[in-house]
């Protein structure tokens, strides 16, 4: 059974940092890419960052480029998102995701985690 389980969601003040983790299990073959998405109330789910299974390719949304860093364990069972210089607009539920291609399109995601909540105060 495929499982993606996020952890690390918390409250921070603007300017602080936070690292999210995702434990990945149950895949027969490592997915082509892993990614982080977020969704704020009344907003569409937004793709933030992806990393391919060999770790050589990453891609970021403009909204987080230069502030967020995606990484994964060499074994592929852990995914991380380091978030620096947080702003209140980063408040959302953050989701770990797996896909058979390098994509930040939510409609192409095959597996989702349950989400972890991040709140950023001014």
């Amino acid at each position: 059974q495929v499982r993606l389980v996020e952890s690390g969601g918390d409250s921070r003040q603007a300017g602080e940092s936070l690292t999210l983790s995702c434990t990945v299990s149950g895949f027969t073959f490592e997915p082509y890419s892993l990614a982080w998405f977020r969704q704020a109330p009344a907003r569409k789910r937004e793709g933030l960052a992806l990393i391919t299974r060999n770790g050589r390719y990453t891609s970021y949304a403009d909204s987080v480029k230069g502030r967020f860093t995606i990484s994964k364990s060499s074994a592929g069972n852990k995914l991380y998102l380091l978030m620096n210089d947080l702003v209140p607009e980063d408040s959302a539920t953050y989701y770990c995701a797996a896909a058979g291609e390098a994509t930040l399109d939510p409609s192409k995601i095959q597996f989702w985690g349950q989400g972890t909540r991040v709140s950023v105060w001014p």
Side-chain angles (χ1 to χ4, degrees), residues 49-121:
L50 72 86
I51 186 167
T52 53
R53 63 183 168 213
N54 61 12
R56 294 176 185 170
Y57 177 76
T58 58
S59 182
Y60 295 90
D62 288 342
S63 58
V64 302
K65 195 174 296 183
R67 298 191 300 125
F68 290 10
T69 302
I70 190 171
S71 62
K72 61 187 282 293
S73 63
S74 56
N77 60 342
K78 282 283 193 179
L79 180 70
Y80 304 99
L81 185 68
L82 169 61
M83 304 185 292
N84 290 324
D85 195 20
L86 287 164
V87 297
E89 292 74 22
D90 293 322
S91 297
T93 299
Y94 284 68
Y95 297 91
C96 174
E101 59 182 294
T103 182
L104 288 177
D105 181 347
S107 69
K108 297 181 179 179
I109 295 299
Q110 295 170 315
F111 300 97
W112 294 98
Q114 84 289 347
T116 188
R117 178 70 184 167
V118 174
S119 297
V120 183
W121 305 100

Side-chain angles (χ1 to χ4, degrees), residues 32-49:
Y32 185 83
S33 74
L34 294 172
W36 287 99
F37 288 73
R38 69 184 178 190
Q39 189 167 18
R43 301 285 299 273
K44 291 183 179 180
R45 191 163 294 192
E46 176 189 13
L48 303 176

